Amino acid sequence: TLDRSSAASDVYKRQIQGTVDRVAPLAADRVVVVTGVAHAEAVRAQLPGLTPDRVLAEPSPRDSMAAIAWAAAVIEREDPEAMIGSFAADHVIPDAEAFRACVAEAVAVARESGQRRVPEPPAGMTAQKSGIEDMPVTLATGAAATRR
């Protein structure tokens, strides 16, 4: 649950905004955020670049897997060919460009192997491929994103 103290709220706000900022170049306007119903309005206020329908409010907490599955179902309904990667909003990733390069490499490998889901690359992983133009990504436990 979100600690209502100002300091904790500011940290959460920076984390979710940072996650969306990190994936937005990959996902464009297809970012989807999954959060608890108690936090949905605050998340919408923190992410004014998202339309309200891009914030999914979990009616009751069911852990990350349920949130990821829900976001994946929404994304798949929009784009049945979308490849989906899941990313948590509470990770500290200091090098956003390296992160995006790693995601691009993961997408390329997933495409080559016929997969449709891309895991989050470990911090520090070096990318050797690019080509994120059709990259769909899902962020859960805070944010989800896709891009065709």
Side-chain angles (χ1 to χ4, degrees):
T1 61
L2 179 63
D3 182 340
R4 298 288 178 184
S5 74
S6 178
S9 182
D10 287 346
V11 169
Y12 179 75
K13 184 178 190 178
R14 285 191 306 270
Q15 287 176 325
I16 197 161
Q17 287 172 339
T19 302
V20 170
D21 291 347
R22 200 167 30 257
V23 300
L26 301 172
D29 63 344
R30 295 181 59 181
V31 171
V32 176
V33 175
V34 182
T35 189
V37 69
H39 311 298
E41 289 309 312
V43 169
R44 287 182 182 107
Q46 292 167 10
L47 301 170
L50 294 183
T51 59
D53 65 316
R54 304 311 283 179
V55 176
L56 305 180
E58 257 187 313
S60 61
R62 299 283 184 219
D63 284 330
S64 297
M65 186 54 72
I68 293 166
W70 184 20
V74 167
I75 291 162
E76 189 168 41
R77 188 173 344 123
E78 293 173 357
D79 180 0
E81 299 302 312
M83 183 179 304
I84 301 171
S86 177
F87 306 92
D90 60 353
H91 292 185
V92 175
I93 301 174
D95 189 340
E97 287 300 319
F99 171 81
R100 286 188 287 272
C102 290
V103 172
E105 181 175 3
V107 168
V109 169
R111 283 189 182 138
E112 289 171 12
S113 65
Q115 299 295 312
R116 293 208 30 233
R117 303 293 182 259
V118 179
E120 181 171 1
M125 181 177 166
T126 303
Q128 297 180 2
K129 296 182 181 180
S130 61
I132 58 173
E133 62 285 345
D134 290 338
M135 160 69 192
V137 177
T138 301
L139 284 93
T141 316
T146 67
R147 178 172 173 221
R148 185 158 163 82

